[in-house]
Coordinates of all heavy atoms in Angstrom, one line a residue:
M1 N 100.9 16.9 149.6 CA 100.6 15.5 149.8 C 101.9 14.6 149.6 O 102.1 13.7 150.3 CB 99.6 15.0 148.9 CG 98.1 15.5 149.1 SD 96.9 14.9 148.0 CE 96.9 13.2 148.2
T2 N 102.7 15.0 148.7 CA 103.9 14.3 148.4 C 104.9 14.4 149.6 O 105.5 13.5 150.1 CB 104.6 14.7 147.2 OG1 103.7 14.5 146.1 CG2 105.9 14.0 146.9
L3 N 104.9 15.6 150.2 CA 105.8 15.9 151.4 C 105.3 15.0 152.6 O 106.1 14.5 153.3 CB 105.9 17.3 151.8 CG 106.7 18.2 150.8 CD1 106.7 19.6 151.2 CD2 108.2 17.7 150.7
N4 N 104.0 14.9 152.7 CA 103.5 14.1 153.8 C 103.8 12.6 153.5 O 104.2 11.9 154.5 CB 102.0 14.2 153.9 CG 101.5 15.5 154.4 OD1 102.3 16.2 155.1 ND2 100.3 16.0 154.1
A5 N 103.8 12.2 152.3 CA 104.1 10.8 152.0 C 105.6 10.6 152.3 O 106.0 9.5 152.8 CB 103.8 10.5 150.5
L6 N 106.5 11.5 152.0 CA 107.8 11.3 152.3 C 108.1 11.3 153.8 O 108.9 10.5 154.3 CB 108.7 12.5 151.7 CG 108.9 12.4 150.1 CD1 109.5 13.6 149.5 CD2 109.8 11.2 149.8
N7 N 107.4 12.2 154.5 CA 107.5 12.3 155.9 C 107.1 11.0 156.6 O 107.6 10.6 157.6 CB 106.6 13.5 156.4 CG 106.9 13.7 157.9 OD1 108.0 13.8 158.4 ND2 105.8 13.9 158.6
N8 N 106.1 10.3 156.0 CA 105.6 9.1 156.6 C 106.2 7.9 156.1 O 105.9 6.8 156.5 CB 104.0 9.0 156.3 CG 103.3 10.1 157.0 OD1 103.6 10.5 158.2 ND2 102.2 10.5 156.4
L9 N 107.2 8.0 155.2 CA 108.0 6.8 154.7 C 108.6 6.1 155.9 O 109.4 6.6 156.6 CB 108.9 7.4 153.7 CG 109.7 6.3 152.9 CD1 108.7 5.5 152.1 CD2 110.7 6.9 152.0
Q10 N 108.4 4.7 155.8 CA 109.0 3.8 156.9 C 109.5 2.6 156.1 O 108.9 2.1 155.2 CB 108.0 3.4 157.9 CG 107.6 4.6 158.8 CD 106.6 4.1 159.9 OE1 106.2 2.9 160.0 NE2 106.2 5.0 160.7
A11 N 110.7 2.1 156.6 CA 111.2 1.0 156.1 C 110.6 -0.2 156.7 O 110.3 -0.3 157.9 CB 112.7 0.9 156.3
A12 N 110.3 -1.3 155.9 CA 109.8 -2.5 156.4 C 111.0 -3.4 156.9 O 110.8 -4.1 157.9 CB 109.0 -3.2 155.3
Q13 N 112.1 -3.3 156.2 CA 113.3 -4.0 156.6 C 114.5 -3.4 155.9 O 114.4 -2.8 154.9 CB 113.2 -5.5 156.4 CG 113.1 -5.9 154.9 CD 113.0 -7.4 154.8 OE1 113.3 -8.2 155.8 NE2 112.6 -7.9 153.7
L14 N 115.7 -3.7 156.5 CA 117.0 -3.4 155.9 C 117.5 -4.6 155.1 O 117.3 -5.7 155.5 CB 117.9 -3.1 157.1 CG 119.3 -2.5 156.7 CD1 119.2 -1.1 156.0 CD2 120.2 -2.4 158.0
V15 N 117.9 -4.3 153.9 CA 118.4 -5.4 153.0 C 119.9 -5.2 152.7 O 120.5 -4.2 152.9 CB 117.5 -5.5 151.8 CG1 116.1 -5.9 152.1 CG2 117.5 -4.3 150.9
D16 N 120.4 -6.2 152.1 CA 121.9 -6.3 151.8 C 122.2 -5.2 150.8 O 121.8 -5.2 149.6 CB 122.3 -7.6 151.2 CG 123.7 -7.8 150.9 OD1 124.6 -6.8 151.1 OD2 124.1 -8.8 150.4
P17 N 123.1 -4.2 151.1 CA 123.4 -3.1 150.2 C 124.3 -3.5 149.0 O 124.5 -2.8 148.0 CB 124.1 -2.0 151.0 CG 124.6 -2.8 152.2 CD 123.6 -3.9 152.4
A18 N 124.8 -4.7 149.1 CA 125.7 -5.2 148.0 C 124.9 -5.7 146.8 O 125.5 -6.0 145.7 CB 126.6 -6.3 148.5
Q19 N 123.6 -5.7 146.9 CA 122.8 -6.3 145.8 C 122.0 -5.2 145.0 O 120.9 -5.4 144.5 CB 121.7 -7.2 146.5 CG 122.3 -8.4 147.2 CD 123.0 -9.3 146.3 OE1 122.7 -9.6 145.2 NE2 124.2 -9.8 146.7
L20 N 122.6 -4.0 144.9 CA 122.0 -2.9 144.2 C 121.4 -3.2 142.9 O 120.3 -2.8 142.5 CB 122.9 -1.7 144.1 CG 123.3 -0.9 145.4 CD1 124.2 0.2 145.1 CD2 122.0 -0.5 146.1
D21 N 122.1 -4.0 142.1 CA 121.7 -4.4 140.8 C 120.4 -5.3 140.9 O 119.5 -5.0 140.1 CB 122.8 -5.1 140.0 CG 122.6 -4.9 138.5 OD1 122.0 -4.0 138.1 OD2 123.2 -5.8 137.8
A22 N 120.3 -6.2 141.8 CA 119.2 -7.1 141.9 C 118.0 -6.3 142.4 O 116.8 -6.6 142.0 CB 119.5 -8.2 142.9
Y23 N 118.2 -5.2 143.1 CA 117.1 -4.4 143.6 C 116.7 -3.3 142.6 O 115.7 -2.6 142.8 CB 117.5 -3.6 144.9 CG 118.0 -4.5 146.1 CD1 119.0 -4.1 146.8 CD2 117.3 -5.7 146.3 CE1 119.5 -4.9 147.9 CE2 117.8 -6.6 147.4 CZ 118.9 -6.1 148.1 OH 119.3 -6.9 149.2
G24 N 117.4 -3.2 141.5 CA 117.1 -2.3 140.5 C 117.5 -0.8 140.8 O 117.0 0.1 140.2
L25 N 118.4 -0.7 141.8 CA 118.7 0.6 142.3 C 120.0 1.2 141.6 O 120.4 2.3 141.8 CB 118.9 0.6 143.8 CG 117.7 0.4 144.6 CD1 117.9 0.2 146.0 CD2 116.7 1.6 144.3
K26 N 120.7 0.4 140.7 CA 121.8 0.9 139.9 C 121.2 1.9 138.9 O 121.8 2.9 138.5 CB 122.7 -0.2 139.3 CG 123.6 -0.8 140.3 CD 124.7 -1.6 139.6 CE 125.7 -2.0 140.7 NZ 126.8 -2.7 140.1
K27 N 120.0 1.5 138.4 CA 119.3 2.3 137.4 C 117.8 2.3 137.9 O 117.0 1.6 137.4 CB 119.3 1.7 136.0 CG 120.8 1.7 135.4 CD 120.7 1.1 134.0 CE 122.1 1.1 133.4 NZ 122.2 0.5 132.1
P28 N 117.5 3.1 138.9 CA 116.3 3.1 139.5 C 115.1 3.7 138.7 O 115.3 4.5 137.8 CB 116.4 4.1 140.7 CG 117.5 4.9 140.4 CD 118.4 4.1 139.5
A29 N 114.0 3.0 138.8 CA 112.8 3.5 138.0 C 112.3 4.8 138.5 O 111.7 5.5 137.7 CB 111.7 2.4 138.2
Y30 N 112.5 5.2 139.7 CA 112.0 6.4 140.3 C 113.2 7.1 141.0 O 114.0 6.5 141.7 CB 110.9 6.2 141.3 CG 109.7 5.4 140.7 CD1 109.6 4.0 140.8 CD2 108.6 6.1 140.1 CE1 108.6 3.4 140.2 CE2 107.6 5.4 139.6 CZ 107.5 4.1 139.7 OH 106.5 3.4 139.1
R31 N 113.1 8.5 140.9 CA 114.1 9.3 141.6 C 113.4 10.6 142.1 O 112.6 11.1 141.3 CB 115.1 9.8 140.7 CG 116.3 9.1 140.6 CD 117.3 9.7 139.6 NE 118.1 8.7 139.0 CZ 119.3 8.3 139.4 NH1 119.9 9.0 140.4 NH2 120.0 7.4 138.9
A32 N 113.5 11.0 143.3 CA 113.0 12.2 143.8 C 114.2 13.0 144.4 O 114.9 12.6 145.3 CB 111.9 12.0 144.9
K33 N 114.4 14.2 143.8 CA 115.5 15.1 144.3 C 114.8 15.9 145.3 O 113.9 16.6 145.1 CB 116.0 16.0 143.1 CG 117.2 16.7 143.6 CD 117.9 17.5 142.4 CE 119.0 18.3 142.9 NZ 119.7 19.0 141.8
I34 N 115.5 15.9 146.5 CA 115.0 16.7 147.6 C 116.0 17.8 148.0 O 117.2 17.4 148.3 CB 114.8 15.7 148.8 CG1 113.9 14.6 148.4 CG2 114.3 16.4 150.1 CD1 113.8 13.4 149.2
A35 N 115.6 19.0 148.0 CA 116.5 20.1 148.3 C 116.2 20.5 149.8 O 115.0 20.5 150.2 CB 116.2 21.3 147.4
T36 N 117.2 20.8 150.5 CA 117.1 21.3 151.9 C 117.3 22.8 152.0 O 117.7 23.5 151.1 CB 118.1 20.6 152.8 OG1 119.4 20.9 152.4 CG2 118.0 19.1 152.7
D37 N 116.9 23.3 153.2 CA 117.0 24.7 153.4 C 118.4 25.3 153.3 O 118.6 26.5 153.0 CB 116.5 25.1 154.8 CG 114.9 25.0 154.9 OD1 114.3 25.0 153.8 OD2 114.4 24.9 156.0
D38 N 119.4 24.5 153.6 CA 120.8 24.9 153.6 C 121.4 24.9 152.1 O 122.6 25.2 152.0 CB 121.7 24.1 154.5 CG 121.8 22.6 154.1 OD1 121.4 22.2 153.1 OD2 122.5 21.9 154.9
G39 N 120.6 24.6 151.2 CA 121.0 24.6 149.8 C 121.6 23.2 149.3 O 121.9 23.1 148.1
S40 N 121.7 22.3 150.2 CA 122.2 21.0 149.7 C 121.0 20.1 149.2 O 119.9 20.5 149.3 CB 122.9 20.2 150.9 OG 122.0 20.0 151.9
S41 N 121.2 19.0 148.6 CA 120.2 18.2 148.0 C 120.7 16.7 148.1 O 121.9 16.5 148.2 CB 119.8 18.6 146.7 OG 120.8 18.4 145.8
F42 N 119.7 15.8 148.0 CA 120.0 14.4 147.9 C 118.8 13.8 147.2 O 117.9 14.5 146.8 CB 120.2 13.8 149.3 CG 119.0 13.9 150.2 CD1 117.9 13.0 150.2 CD2 118.8 15.0 151.1 CE1 116.9 13.1 151.1 CE2 117.8 15.2 151.9 CZ 116.8 14.2 151.9
Q43 N 119.0 12.6 146.7 CA 118.0 11.9 145.9 C 117.5 10.6 146.6 O 118.3 9.9 147.2 CB 118.6 11.6 144.5 CG 118.9 12.7 143.7 CD 119.4 12.3 142.3 OE1 119.0 11.3 141.8 NE2 120.2 13.2 141.8
L44 N 116.3 10.4 146.5 CA 115.6 9.2 147.0 C 115.5 8.3 145.7 O 114.9 8.7 144.8 CB 114.2 9.4 147.6 CG 113.4 8.2 148.0 CD1 114.1 7.4 149.1 CD2 112.0 8.5 148.4
L45 N 116.2 7.1 145.8 CA 116.1 6.2 144.6 C 115.2 5.1 145.0 O 115.3 4.5 146.0 CB 117.5 5.7 144.4 CG 118.7 6.7 144.3 CD1 120.0 6.0 144.1 CD2 118.4 7.7 143.2
V46 N 114.3 4.8 144.1 CA 113.3 3.7 144.3 C 113.1 2.8 143.1 O 113.0 3.3 142.0 CB 112.0 4.4 144.8 CG1 110.9 3.3 145.2 CG2 112.1 5.3 145.9
S47 N 113.0 1.5 143.4 CA 112.7 0.6 142.3 C 111.9 -0.6 142.8 O 112.0 -1.0 144.0 CB 114.0 0.1 141.7 OG 113.8 -0.6 140.5
Q48 N 111.1 -1.1 141.9 CA 110.3 -2.4 142.1 C 110.7 -3.3 141.0 O 110.0 -3.3 140.0 CB 108.9 -2.0 142.3 CG 108.0 -3.3 142.6 CD 106.6 -3.0 142.8 OE1 106.1 -2.0 142.2 NE2 105.9 -3.7 143.6
P49 N 111.7 -4.0 141.0 CA 112.2 -4.9 139.9 C 111.1 -5.8 139.4 O 111.2 -6.1 138.2 CB 113.5 -5.5 140.4 CG 113.6 -5.3 141.8 CD 112.6 -4.2 142.2
D50 N 110.4 -6.4 140.2 CA 109.3 -7.3 139.8 C 108.0 -6.7 140.1 O 107.7 -6.1 141.2 CB 109.4 -8.6 140.5 CG 110.7 -9.4 140.3 OD1 111.1 -9.4 139.1 OD2 111.3 -9.9 141.2
A51 N 107.0 -6.7 139.2 CA 105.8 -6.0 139.3 C 105.0 -6.4 140.6 O 104.4 -5.5 141.2 CB 104.9 -6.3 138.1
K52 N 105.1 -7.6 141.0 CA 104.5 -8.0 142.3 C 105.4 -8.2 143.4 O 105.0 -8.7 144.5 CB 103.7 -9.4 141.9 CG 102.7 -9.4 140.9 CD 101.5 -8.7 141.3 CE 100.4 -8.8 140.2 NZ 99.2 -8.2 140.5
G53 N 106.6 -7.8 143.2 CA 107.6 -8.0 144.3 C 107.8 -6.8 145.1 O 107.1 -5.8 145.1
P54 N 108.8 -6.9 146.1 CA 109.0 -5.8 147.0 C 109.6 -4.5 146.3 O 110.1 -4.6 145.2 CB 110.0 -6.4 147.9 CG 110.5 -7.6 147.4 CD 109.7 -8.0 146.2
V55 N 109.4 -3.4 147.0 CA 109.9 -2.2 146.6 C 111.1 -1.8 147.5 O 111.2 -2.0 148.6 CB 108.8 -1.1 146.7 CG1 109.4 0.3 146.3 CG2 107.6 -1.4 146.0
Y56 N 112.2 -1.3 146.8 CA 113.5 -1.1 147.4 C 113.7 0.5 147.3 O 113.4 1.1 146.2 CB 114.6 -1.8 146.8 CG 114.4 -3.3 146.9 CD1 113.9 -4.0 145.8 CD2 114.6 -3.9 148.1 CE1 113.7 -5.4 145.9 CE2 114.4 -5.3 148.2 CZ 113.9 -6.1 147.2 OH 113.6 -7.4 147.2
A57 N 114.4 1.0 148.3 CA 114.7 2.4 148.3 C 116.0 2.7 149.0 O 116.4 1.9 149.9 CB 113.6 3.2 149.0
K58 N 116.6 3.7 148.6 CA 117.9 4.2 149.2 C 118.1 5.6 149.0 O 117.6 6.2 147.9 CB 119.1 3.4 148.9 CG 119.7 3.7 147.5 CD 121.0 2.8 147.2 CE 122.2 3.2 148.0 NZ 122.8 4.5 147.9
L59 N 118.9 6.4 149.8 CA 119.3 7.7 149.5 C 120.6 7.6 148.7 O 121.5 6.7 149.0 CB 119.5 8.5 150.7 CG 118.2 8.7 151.6 CD1 118.6 9.4 152.9 CD2 117.2 9.4 150.9
N60 N 120.7 8.4 147.7 CA 122.0 8.4 146.9 C 123.3 8.6 147.7 O 124.4 8.2 147.3 CB 121.9 9.4 145.7 CG 122.0 10.8 146.1 OD1 121.4 11.2 147.1 ND2 122.7 11.6 145.4
N61 N 123.2 9.3 148.9 CA 124.4 9.5 149.6 C 124.6 8.6 150.8 O 125.4 8.9 151.7 CB 124.3 11.0 150.1 CG 123.2 11.4 151.0 OD1 122.2 10.5 151.1 ND2 123.1 12.5 151.6
K62 N 123.8 7.5 150.9 CA 123.9 6.6 152.0 C 124.0 5.2 151.4 O 123.6 4.9 150.3 CB 122.7 6.6 152.9 CG 122.4 8.0 153.5 CD 123.4 8.3 154.5 CE 123.1 9.7 155.2 NZ 124.0 10.2 156.1
A63 N 124.6 4.3 152.2 CA 124.8 2.9 151.7 C 123.6 2.0 152.0 O 123.3 1.1 151.3 CB 126.1 2.3 152.4
Q64 N 122.8 2.3 153.1 CA 121.7 1.5 153.4 C 120.6 1.4 152.4 O 120.3 2.3 151.7 CB 121.1 2.0 154.7 CG 121.9 1.9 155.9 CD 122.7 3.3 156.1 OE1 122.7 4.2 155.2 NE2 123.4 3.4 157.2
V65 N 120.1 0.2 152.2 CA 119.0 -0.1 151.3 C 117.8 -0.6 152.1 O 118.0 -1.5 153.0 CB 119.4 -1.1 150.2 CG1 118.2 -1.4 149.3 CG2 120.6 -0.6 149.4
F66 N 116.6 -0.1 151.8 CA 115.5 -0.6 152.6 C 114.4 -1.1 151.7 O 114.3 -0.7 150.5 CB 114.9 0.7 153.3 CG 115.9 1.4 154.2 CD1 116.6 2.4 153.8 CD2 116.0 0.9 155.5 CE1 117.5 3.1 154.6 CE2 117.0 1.6 156.4 CZ 117.7 2.7 155.9
E67 N 113.7 -2.0 152.2 CA 112.4 -2.5 151.6 C 111.3 -1.6 152.1 O 111.2 -1.4 153.4 CB 112.1 -3.9 151.9 CG 111.0 -4.5 151.1 CD 110.8 -5.9 151.4 OE1 111.8 -6.7 151.4 OE2 109.6 -6.3 151.6
I68 N 110.5 -1.0 151.3 CA 109.3 -0.2 151.7 C 108.1 -0.7 151.1 O 108.0 -1.6 150.2 CB 109.6 1.3 151.2 CG1 109.6 1.4 149.8 CG2 110.8 1.9 151.9 CD1 109.6 2.9 149.2
A69 N 107.0 -0.3 151.7 CA 105.7 -0.7 151.2 C 105.3 -0.2 149.8 O 105.7 1.0 149.5 CB 104.6 -0.2 152.2
E70 N 104.7 -0.9 149.0 CA 104.3 -0.5 147.7 C 103.4 0.7 147.8 O 103.5 1.6 147.0 CB 103.6 -1.6 146.9 CG 103.3 -1.3 145.5 CD 102.7 -2.4 144.7 OE1 102.6 -3.5 145.3 OE2 102.5 -2.2 143.5
S71 N 102.6 0.8 148.8 CA 101.7 1.9 149.0 C 102.5 3.2 149.2 O 102.1 4.3 148.7 CB 100.8 1.8 150.2 OG 101.5 1.5 151.4
S72 N 103.7 3.1 149.8 CA 104.6 4.3 149.9 C 105.1 4.8 148.5 O 105.1 6.0 148.3 CB 105.8 4.0 150.8 OG 105.4 3.6 152.1
L73 N 105.5 3.8 147.7 CA 105.9 4.1 146.4 C 104.7 4.9 145.6 O 105.0 5.9 145.0 CB 106.2 2.8 145.6 CG 106.4 3.0 144.1 CD1 107.8 3.7 143.8 CD2 106.4 1.6 143.5
K74 N 103.6 4.4 145.7 CA 102.5 5.0 145.0 C 102.1 6.4 145.6 O 101.8 7.3 144.9 CB 101.3 4.1 145.0 CG 101.4 2.9 144.1 CD 100.2 2.0 144.2 CE 100.5 0.7 143.3 NZ 99.4 -0.3 143.4
A75 N 102.2 6.5 146.9 CA 101.9 7.8 147.5 C 102.8 8.8 147.2 O 102.4 10.0 147.0 CB 101.9 7.6 149.1
I76 N 104.1 8.5 147.0 CA 105.1 9.5 146.7 C 105.0 9.9 145.2 O 104.9 11.0 144.8 CB 106.5 9.0 147.0 CG1 106.6 8.9 148.6 CG2 107.6 10.0 146.5 CD1 107.8 8.2 149.0
F77 N 105.1 8.9 144.4 CA 105.4 9.2 142.9 C 104.1 9.4 142.1 O 104.1 10.1 141.2 CB 106.3 8.1 142.3 CG 107.7 8.2 142.9 CD1 108.1 7.3 143.9 CD2 108.5 9.1 142.4 CE1 109.4 7.4 144.4 CE2 109.8 9.2 142.9 CZ 110.2 8.4 143.9
T78 N 103.0 8.7 142.5 CA 101.7 9.0 141.8 C 101.3 10.4 142.1 O 100.8 11.1 141.2 CB 100.6 8.0 142.3 OG1 101.1 6.7 142.0 CG2 99.3 8.2 141.5
N79 N 101.5 10.9 143.4 CA 101.1 12.2 143.7 C 102.0 13.2 142.9 O 101.5 14.2 142.4 CB 101.4 12.5 145.2 CG 100.3 11.9 146.0 OD1 99.2 11.6 145.6 ND2 100.6 11.7 147.3
L80 N 103.3 12.9 142.7 CA 104.1 13.8 141.9 C 103.7 13.9 140.5 O 103.6 14.9 139.9 CB 105.6 13.3 142.0 CG 106.3 13.7 143.2 CD1 107.7 13.0 143.2 CD2 106.5 15.1 143.4
E81 N 103.3 12.7 139.9 CA 102.9 12.6 138.5 C 101.6 13.4 138.3 O 101.5 14.2 137.4 CB 102.7 11.2 138.1 CG 104.0 10.4 137.9 CD 103.8 8.9 137.7 OE1 102.6 8.5 137.6 OE2 104.8 8.3 137.6
N82 N 100.7 13.3 139.3 CA 99.4 14.0 139.2 C 99.7 15.5 139.3 O 99.0 16.3 138.7 CB 98.4 13.6 140.4 CG 97.9 12.2 140.1 OD1 97.9 11.7 139.0 ND2 97.5 11.5 141.1
Q83 N 100.6 15.9 140.2 CA 100.9 17.4 140.4 C 101.5 17.9 139.0 O 101.2 19.0 138.7 CB 101.8 17.6 141.5 CG 101.1 17.3 142.9 CD 102.2 17.3 144.1 OE1 103.4 17.6 143.8 NE2 101.7 16.9 145.2
L84 N 102.4 17.1 138.5 CA 103.0 17.6 137.3 C 102.0 17.7 136.1 O 102.0 18.6 135.4 CB 104.1 16.6 136.8 CG 105.4 16.7 137.7 CD1 106.3 15.6 137.3 CD2 106.1 18.0 137.6
E85 N 101.1 16.8 136.0 CA 100.0 16.8 135.0 C 99.2 18.0 135.2 O 98.8 18.7 134.3 CB 99.1 15.5 135.0 CG 99.9 14.3 134.5 CD 99.0 13.0 134.7 OE1 97.9 13.1 135.1 OE2 99.6 11.9 134.4
Q86 N 98.8 18.3 136.5 CA 98.0 19.5 136.7 C 98.7 20.8 136.4 O 98.2 21.7 135.8 CB 97.5 19.5 138.2 CG 96.6 18.4 138.5 CD 96.3 18.4 140.0 OE1 96.9 19.1 140.9 NE2 95.4 17.5 140.5
S87 N 100.0 20.8 136.7 CA 100.8 22.0 136.4 C 100.9 22.1 134.8 O 100.8 23.4 134.3 CB 102.2 21.9 136.9 OG 102.1 21.9 138.3
E88 N 101.1 21.1 134.1 CA 101.2 21.2 132.6 C 99.8 21.6 132.0 O 99.8 22.4 131.1 CB 101.5 19.8 132.1 CG 102.9 19.4 132.3 CD 103.3 18.0 132.0 OE1 102.5 17.3 131.5 OE2 104.5 17.6 132.1
Q89 N 98.7 21.1 132.6 CA 97.4 21.5 132.1 C 97.2 23.0 132.4 O 96.6 23.7 131.5 CB 96.3 20.7 132.8 CG 96.2 19.3 132.3 CD 95.3 18.4 133.1 OE1 94.7 18.8 134.1 NE2 95.1 17.2 132.6
Q90 N 97.6 23.5 133.6 CA 97.5 24.9 133.8 C 98.2 25.8 132.9 O 97.8 26.8 132.5 CB 97.8 25.2 135.3 CG 96.8 24.6 136.3 CD 97.4 24.7 137.8 OE1 98.5 25.0 138.0 NE2 96.5 24.4 138.7
A91 N 99.4 25.3 132.6 CA 100.3 26.1 131.7 C 99.7 26.1 130.3 O 99.7 27.1 129.7 CB 101.7 25.4 131.6
V92 N 99.1 25.1 129.8 CA 98.4 25.0 128.5 C 97.2 26.0 128.5 O 97.0 26.8 127.5 CB 98.0 23.6 128.1 CG1 97.0 23.5 127.0 CG2 99.2 22.7 127.9
E93 N 96.4 26.0 129.6 CA 95.3 26.9 129.7 C 95.7 28.3 129.7 O 95.1 29.2 129.1 CB 94.5 26.5 130.9 CG 93.8 25.2 130.8 CD 93.0 24.8 132.1 OE1 92.7 25.6 132.9 OE2 92.6 23.6 132.1
Q94 N 96.8 28.6 130.4 CA 97.3 30.0 130.5 C 97.8 30.4 129.1 O 97.5 31.5 128.7 CB 98.5 30.1 131.5 CG 97.9 30.1 132.9 CD 99.1 30.1 134.0 OE1 100.2 30.0 133.5 NE2 98.7 30.3 135.2
N95 N 98.5 29.6 128.4 CA 98.9 29.9 127.0 C 97.7 30.2 126.1 O 97.8 31.1 125.3 CB 99.8 28.8 126.5 CG 101.2 28.8 127.1 OD1 101.7 29.7 127.6 ND2 101.8 27.6 127.0
K96 N 96.7 29.4 126.2 CA 95.5 29.6 125.4 C 94.8 30.9 125.7 O 94.4 31.7 124.8 CB 94.5 28.5 125.7 CG 94.8 27.2 125.0 CD 93.7 26.2 125.3 CE 94.1 24.8 124.8 NZ 93.0 23.8 125.1
Q97 N 94.8 31.3 127.0 CA 94.2 32.6 127.4 C 95.0 33.8 126.9 O 94.5 34.7 126.5 CB 94.0 32.7 128.9 CG 93.0 31.7 129.4 CD 92.9 31.7 131.0 OE1 93.8 32.3 131.6 NE2 92.0 31.0 131.5
Q98 N 96.4 33.6 127.0 CA 97.3 34.7 126.5 C 97.2 34.8 125.0 O 97.4 35.9 124.4 CB 98.7 34.4 127.0 CG 98.8 34.6 128.5 CD 100.2 34.1 128.9 OE1 101.0 33.6 128.2 NE2 100.5 34.4 130.2
S99 N 97.0 33.7 124.3 CA 96.9 33.8 122.8 C 95.6 34.4 122.3 O 95.5 34.8 121.2 CB 97.1 32.4 122.2 OG 98.3 31.8 122.6
S100 N 94.6 34.3 123.1 CA 93.2 34.8 122.7 C 93.1 36.3 122.7 O 93.7 37.1 123.3 CB 92.1 34.3 123.6 OG 92.1 32.9 123.6

């Protein structure tokens, strides 16, 4: 699901890349590290500085900054959080079974 959310990610608009601090992208609230088949990787940096305001995103290796839909933020990172929680729960259950 997370890969589908990344695949469907679309920018609403391009914004001024000189305002990284104002967009919260100097210290982003969210980061997704993406590894490619050739062994390289890059990071998607995302922040929503105001709870009701726009969401900003950029790739760490590119200058462009985009405004994206809040639903995109939730689709990517909520799915990741849910997947991590499920993985952690499975690990705890496996440890319990091994200990028994």
Side-chain angles (χ1 to χ4, degrees):
M1 289 177 62
T2 300
L3 288 178
N4 288 338
L6 285 169
N7 187 47
N8 294 326
L9 186 62
Q10 293 184 358
Q13 66 178 341
L14 187 63
V15 295
D16 182 5
Q19 302 294 320
L20 290 181
D21 207 23
Y23 304 139
L25 292 171
K26 283 195 174 181
K27 294 181 181 177
Y30 302 92
R31 268 179 209 266
K33 185 175 182 179
I34 302 160
T36 63
D37 288 339
D38 67 5
S40 64
S41 66
F42 58 92
Q43 293 182 29
L44 174 66
L45 311 176
V46 182
S47 190
Q48 185 178 28
D50 298 316
K52 300 284 183 182
V55 178
Y56 301 101
K58 78 177 289 301
L59 297 176
N60 68 317
N61 60 350
K62 303 288 182 185
Q64 296 90 354
V65 178
F66 303 94
E67 185 178 318
I68 63 171
E70 185 173 3
S71 59
S72 295
L73 168 72
K74 290 178 181 177
I76 295 167
F77 292 100
T78 301
N79 286 337
L80 282 176
E81 289 171 2
N82 291 339
Q83 289 171 8
L84 289 173
E85 288 173 9
Q86 290 173 357
S87 294
E88 289 172 0
Q89 288 172 351
Q90 289 172 348
V92 167
E93 289 176 16
Q94 286 177 349
N95 285 337
K96 285 181 182 178
Q97 291 175 355
Q98 291 174 354
S99 298
S100 298

